[in-house]
Amino acid sequence: TSEMKSREQFVQEVAATFESCQNRFQRLSAARRFQRRELLRIGMCDAFGLLDLRFVTLQLSLLADAMVQCCLTLAMDEANITDLALAVVSLGKHGGEELNYSSDIDLILICDQDSSLVQRVARLMIDGLTDDIPPGFLYRVDLRLRPWGEAGPLVSTIGTYADYLVQNAATWEKQAMLKARVVAGDADVGNRFLNRMRPLLFTDSAIDVRNSIQQMKERIEFRLRQRGKLYAEVKLGAGAIRDVEFVVQNLQLIHGEREPRILSFNTLDSLVRLAEFGFISAAWYRQLRAGYVFLRTVEHSLQLLHNQQTHELPADKHQLEWLAFRLDYPDAATLMHRFDEHRLAVRSIFDECLQLE
């Protein structure tokens, strides 16, 4: 069915599958089967055009929220506790309610007071998400955006994170925090964390912000160019999804302190706000929105085609024809023409936006 489910509904439905389960292993297995059924339901609605891109990505994101909450609850059960001041905050596409069918989820874990219990529950929760229990893992979890990356503790206190942002964080780490959203655990801790962090994101000059984003994009594209993939990549290539996201985040970091209403964790919502408050023209808004929706729709179709995390247009002619058919284009040549049109329009705006003095 094309029913739009809330996070709470997902949480209740997965909890209902635990009633006949005897132990944590069986519950985690049941959670995985539930998630697979929901992914199939959402994918079918997508394939038949019953849900548009915004609703598909929102449903995938809320399903992931519920799975994180479910694994946190099971971890707390395992530790014999019912209450814990631990918040799970997501960044990236999950934070932005823009999840793909095969995305990693980028999590940071925040507590009021650090303890061995908090760290243990957090580790159990991550294991619940990532362990290969039949029929497989729930999500690949990336925890490298926490302070000090893999060298840092799994869970940070609000104060520790604030100190890190002020003293040690690179511009790209502040940029990543623009998409922060509380997805599970103690909402009060999570919201206090976000409120404390937000003012700390706007300490870099406009020139430093632009330089950081340009350098990051150049590094990404250098690697793609070496592999001959610069113009076939819908996520990271020249004029691809990342260019739209970086235009948005560049403007948010530069102007967000003065006009906080442009701050949204969601890219499409951010574009609306940036146009509304005059930071991008109506023409830029139309081109960026059209390019983003087109590229994300292609990305989704690629992941349905391959059933894996891929962002690359197929080199195989038959697969490219299938993709064109799936996206309602008469042939691969027409699809590639549209792809190049969007890519060039997005890249032109990216270059102009990042070079403004």
Side-chain angles (χ1 to χ4, degrees):
T1 104
S2 59
E3 174 191 5
M4 281 293 292
K5 296 185 181 181
S6 67
R7 178 194 301 144
E8 290 69 30
Q9 190 174 348
F10 282 128
V11 168
Q12 288 166 5
E13 289 181 4
V14 72
T17 69
F18 295 163
E19 287 171 11
S20 59
C21 298
Q22 307 298 315
N23 54 43
R24 182 171 183 269
F25 182 89
Q26 289 182 1
R27 291 187 185 101
L28 287 172
S29 188
R32 282 151 170 72
R33 290 193 300 274
F34 172 83
Q35 185 229 27
R36 300 303 195 273
R37 287 194 300 273
E38 286 301 314
L39 287 174
L40 179 61
R41 177 184 71 84
I42 296 164
M44 292 295 283
C45 291
D46 186 0
F48 288 111
L50 301 175
L51 293 174
D52 68 8
L53 175 74
R54 177 75 183 97
F55 285 118
V56 169
T57 56
L58 178 59
Q59 282 291 273
L60 292 171
S61 301
L62 296 180
L63 173 61
D65 291 5
M67 293 297 101
V68 174
Q69 181 61 60
C70 153
C71 288
L72 177 55
T73 302
L74 291 178
M76 288 167 64
D77 289 348
E78 185 86 353
N80 290 317
I81 53 170
T82 55
D83 192 38
L84 188 66
L86 172 69
V88 185
V89 175
S90 198
L91 307 174
K93 280 196 166 75
H94 184 206
E97 293 181 343
E98 301 158 337
L99 209 58
N100 289 336
Y101 290 104
S102 189
S103 293
D104 297 355
I105 56 176
D106 300 286
L107 301 182
I108 50 177
L109 310 175
I110 303 297
C111 63
D112 248 348
Q113 289 186 305
D114 195 8
S115 68
S116 57
L117 177 64
V118 165
Q119 299 287 345
R120 177 171 170 248
V121 169
R123 174 43 63 196
L124 282 168
M125 181 195 77
I126 299 302
D127 290 347
L129 289 164
T130 58
D131 280 355
D132 193 9
I133 293 168
F137 63 87
L138 279 169
Y139 295 96
R140 290 177 298 269
V141 178
D142 192 338
L143 296 156
R144 290 174 297 178
L145 288 170
R146 67 188 190 268
W148 311 115
E150 290 172 333
L154 203 54
V155 188
S156 303
T157 64
I158 296 175
T160 302
Y161 209 112
D163 291 344
Y164 177 80
L165 270 187
V166 171
Q167 295 166 17
N168 302 99
T171 303
W172 66 264
E173 292 175 282
K174 297 171 190 173
Q175 186 184 338
M177 285 293 294
L178 291 167
K179 297 186 83 68
R181 180 173 66 89
V182 182
V183 298
D186 190 317
D188 176 61
V189 171
N191 290 325
R192 279 192 283 117
F193 167 73
L194 294 185
N195 291 335
R196 176 87 178 272
M197 296 310 119
R198 179 158 284 181
L200 307 179
L201 304 183
F202 309 106
T203 52
D204 295 341
S205 70
I207 289 172
D208 286 345
V209 168
R210 288 192 199 102
N211 284 343
S212 168
I213 290 175
Q214 280 177 327
Q215 286 166 10
M216 192 171 4
K217 196 70 176 77
E218 283 165 9
R219 281 196 300 273
I220 292 168
E221 292 183 6
F222 176 74
R223 288 195 290 269
L224 288 177
R225 194 179 286 110
Q226 282 183 315
R227 292 166 39 218
K229 306 293 186 187
L230 187 58
Y231 302 109
E233 244 269 3
V234 297
K235 179 183 177 183
L236 301 174
I241 292 164
R242 191 64 90 234
D243 282 23
V244 181
E245 293 172 340
F246 279 5
V247 165
V248 167
Q249 291 158 15
N250 168 62
L251 294 169
Q252 287 176 326
L253 280 178
I254 292 170
H255 303 291
E257 185 171 34
R258 188 162 51 87
E259 181 45 87
R261 288 175 292 182
I262 65 171
L263 300 174
S264 167
F265 49 66
N266 179 268
T267 303
L268 288 175
D269 185 39
S270 297
L271 285 171
V272 171
R273 294 170 184 230
L274 287 166
E276 195 177 325
F277 292 102
F279 293 102
I280 58 174
S281 66
W284 274 22
Y285 167 74
R286 284 193 300 272
Q287 288 178 305
L288 289 170
R289 187 188 188 285
Y292 182 80
V293 170
F294 172 84
L295 291 162
R296 287 300 309 272
T297 305
V298 171
E299 182 183 45
H300 270 247
S301 295
L302 283 170
Q303 295 191 352
L304 286 173
L305 168 65
H306 294 286
N307 193 30
Q308 63 186 13
Q309 189 180 30
T310 184
H311 311 280
E312 200 179 296
L313 290 172
D316 179 79
K317 199 172 82 171
H318 296 297
Q319 288 192 349
L320 199 58
E321 288 290 347
W322 181 93
L323 185 65
F325 175 73
R326 165 83 181 82
L327 293 165
D328 292 329
Y329 289 96
D331 51 45
T334 310
L335 169 63
M336 291 307 296
H337 178 69
R338 291 296 294 142
F339 176 70
D340 286 335
E341 275 185 344
H342 283 299
R343 203 175 52 69
L344 292 169
V346 166
R347 189 43 169 241
S348 168
I349 294 171
F350 176 87
D351 287 341
E352 196 175 335
C353 185
L354 271 291
Q355 285 166 8
L356 290 176
E357 291 305 324

